[in-house]
Amino acid sequence: MSVSTVASDRSVCSPLPVLGRDVTVPLVTGGEVTYAALDYAASAPALQRVWDDVAAYAPYYGSVHRGAGYLSQLSTDLFENARVTVAEFLDCREDDQVVFTRSTTDSLNLLAAVVPAGCEVFVFETEHHASLLPWRDAQVTYLDAPSTPRQAVETLERALAHRDPSRASGPALVCVTGASNVTGELWPVRELAATAHAHGARIVLDAAQLAPHHPVSVRDLDVDWVAFSGHKLYAPFGAGVLAGRADWLRDAEPYLAGGGASRKVTRRTDGGVDVEWHESAARHEAGSPNVIGAYAIASACKALTEAGFDTLVARERHLIRTVGEGLAEVPEVKVLSLFGDDSPRVGVISFVVEGWNSSHFAAALSAEYGIGVRDGLFCAHPLVRTLLGSDPQTQGECGAPEAAPGEKSLNAIRVSFGAGTPDEHVERFVRAVKELVSEGAKWNYRTEGGRCVPTV
Ligand SMILES: Cc1ncc(COP(=O)(O)O)c(C=O)c1O
């Protein structure tokens, strides 16, 4: 990458305005700095546009699907229009359903609750726990971590080709992440979908980390469902999405039983009740819907689409390069990767620093530089342990004294960023890593409540 290309990358797009961009935080060493939020993979800051849209709507807030009043009707319209916007954002097929949930975790648990009886589920051990764990009532096959995207496809191909003959004609579902929440690496979703379909299986894409960074086209990727969370898509108002094929959703009992999901409830002569459930997305949205959450997601979808993913991706590549090249200059730093350091990724990078406990390092980044990152196993314990080569039985000791050089790390540090990240934040991060490694922490730290905190 030449300097001129980098310069033009910078000029194509400035960060999208987000809330908190001017917030200052105290440093333990004195003074204040603007907070560098580099934990987008956990929760991204709200887009200013999302906040403004929600604030503009708030006075008109009313009950959804219930009231006869003007504001109820307006809110119902906004809620239903939000579905349409999300369907467009995801390039859904005509008859796909968009169900508003609480989060990706909720979406995948919903799907797990509606899979047909006897469904076999195939999931890589590298998944986030939200994708790894909901299937425990199904017949689950956990696939080994692949070391290349091609191997991922081959592993799935082998597993599907060798299904237990007694179940092979029954329903099957593959669950795969679009971008890893640990390494940020992109998974070969289109190829995995083709493999699944070639064997009569369906596929759900966990797009929690993909959708905020890259366009997701259900049609083009040919996935059956997509799940994502509003709070990672700059819309932190408690809503998420499960979008995709209507049939399994329509054929199953509602995820939650209650008002909103039911069309008609009648008392039987024997004293019980009969229920007719909705066949639309409302079937799985019992209770009062989170209209603000749905509206916020729709607002974020529009903002990202209008900014243009080509532009956003180009800018993010520049940030990834800044961090990648900066970390590569520090021999003590090891970036975690399944598919190799050069494989395409979103702005999510995990690493360990030789001689440092990750919790201590993250605490020092926060206390001494005003940088917020995450440390730990990132709700993907099997993957991080595979990448670290650490013993699955060993618990990471947050705030433990620095590991001796050469000792295996038990936790990692994750830096993540996106459309709202200014260059200065990643530049400060790289500078801070270099300084901490070469000069050490300037402050003392101790363990408190399992976390490493500055001794003040
Ligand atoms: C890849 C991935 N899937 C699922 C989830 C779960 O998302 P949520 O906590 O919003 O349910 C996360 C959260 O970090 C994630 O990174």
Side-chain angles (χ1 to χ4, degrees):
M1 171 62 54
S2 69
V3 171
S4 60
T5 326
V6 170
S8 71
D9 277 0
R10 279 171 192 255
S11 63
V12 282
C13 172
S14 47
L16 295 185
V18 289
L19 292 190
R21 58 191 183 276
D22 299 324
V23 167
T24 57
V25 291
L27 298 182
V28 74
T29 44
E32 296 207 337
V33 284
T34 49
Y35 183 63
L38 293 179
D39 196 11
Y40 275 47
S43 287
L47 282 178
Q48 185 69 53
R49 153 89 178 265
V50 169
W51 185 255
D52 292 346
D53 281 352
V54 166
Y57 161 59
Y60 301 93
Y61 173 77
S63 64
V64 170
H65 295 152
R66 297 220 159 88
Y70 189 88
L71 297 194
S72 283
Q73 291 177 29
L74 181 106
S75 295
T76 303
D77 275 357
L78 283 189
F79 186 67
E80 291 305 328
N81 286 341
R83 265 193 235 287
V84 177
T85 303
V86 169
E88 284 167 5
F89 180 72
L90 295 173
D91 190 21
C92 286
R93 295 158 293 242
E94 291 272 293
D95 44 5
D96 282 343
Q97 283 188 351
V98 172
V99 183
F100 284 112
T101 62
R102 289 181 300 160
S103 61
T104 308
T105 305
D106 200 29
S107 298
L108 294 171
N109 275 275
L110 162 58
L111 190 60
V114 305
V115 295
C119 186
E120 274 190 274
V121 176
F122 296 83
V123 53
F124 285 91
E125 66 171 17
T126 45
E127 293 288 329
H128 186 281
H129 295 170
S131 315
L132 199 65
L133 303 180
W135 322 105
R136 283 172 300 171
D137 289 342
Q139 180 69 37
V140 192
T141 301
Y142 294 103
L143 307 172
D144 290 343
S147 54
T148 62
R150 174 188 280 270
Q151 204 180 68
V153 178
E154 289 167 357
T155 302
L156 179 64
E157 164 72 38
R158 243 189 333 272
L160 290 172
H162 293 98
R163 284 175 74 189
D164 180 339
S166 64
R167 276 194 292 263
S169 58
L173 177 70
V174 176
C175 179
V176 71
T177 189
S180 165
N181 71 306
V182 176
T183 66
E185 289 166 317
L186 297 174
W187 278 62
V189 177
R190 194 179 287 107
E191 293 78 0
L192 290 166
T195 307
H197 291 152
H199 289 274
R202 295 188 177 196
I203 184 163
V204 54
L205 170 63
D206 172 351
Q209 299 296 346
L210 186 64
H213 302 272
H214 281 253
V216 173
S217 165
V218 166
R219 246 182 262 256
D220 182 38
L221 295 171
D222 196 18
V223 290
D224 297 282
W225 292 275
V226 171
F228 72 85
S229 303
H231 72 104
K232 296 184 197 292
L233 196 90
Y234 312 101
F237 290 88
V241 165
L242 178 70
R245 305 249 179 235
D247 52 358
W248 286 8
L249 291 162
R250 212 174 31 220
D251 294 346
E253 287 292 300
Y255 184 40
L256 292 174
S262 49
R263 189 167 36 212
K264 187 174 168 196
V265 181
T266 42
R267 196 78 201 277
R268 284 196 308 260
T269 46
D270 67 2
V273 287
D274 282 327
V275 189
E276 271 178 36
W277 302 108
H278 280 296
E279 297 201 336
S280 62
R283 184 184 190 85
H284 297 292
E285 291 173 347
S288 297
N290 176 359
V291 57
I292 289 197
Y295 183 57
I297 287 181
S299 165
C301 291
K302 285 185 189 159
L304 293 174
T305 305
E306 284 164 23
F309 270 108
D310 285 352
T311 314
L312 295 174
V313 168
R315 188 182 143 70
E316 190 170 305
R317 282 209 185 109
H318 158 66
L319 299 176
I320 293 169
R321 219 165 20 244
T322 304
V323 173
E325 289 175 1
L327 293 181
E329 287 168 15
V330 187
E332 291 83 354
V333 168
K334 178 175 178 288
V335 172
L336 304 184
S337 159
L338 263 186
F339 299 155
D341 287 346
D342 295 332
S343 69
R345 53 154 43 103
V346 298
V348 177
I349 298 173
S350 296
F351 60 100
V352 289
V353 185
E354 191 176 308
W356 283 80
N357 171 286
S358 293
S359 174
H360 184 185
F361 202 85
L365 284 173
S366 169
E368 299 179 29
Y369 297 91
I371 296 170
V373 296
R374 183 157 170 205
D375 62 282
L377 300 173
F378 318 127
C379 295
H381 294 186
L383 170 59
V384 179
R385 290 198 176 113
T386 297
L387 292 167
L388 296 177
S390 60
D391 176 355
Q393 305 311 323
T394 318
Q395 289 297 316
E397 256 294 300
C398 290
E402 291 173 21
E407 218 171 71
K408 281 199 174 115
S409 301
L410 301 174
N411 291 314
I413 305 149
R414 181 179 72 189
V415 59
S416 55
F417 40 84
T421 307
D423 288 8
E424 190 277 325
H425 288 186
V426 296
E427 286 161 5
R428 192 190 326 166
F429 166 78
V430 168
R431 203 172 56 246
V433 170
K434 289 180 176 172
E435 253 176 46
L436 282 173
V437 170
S438 62
E439 297 167 21
K442 297 182 189 69
W443 206 260
N444 291 323
Y445 295 80
R446 67 190 160 83
T447 304
E448 191 179 285
R451 303 266 338 143
C452 190
V453 295
T455 307
V456 185

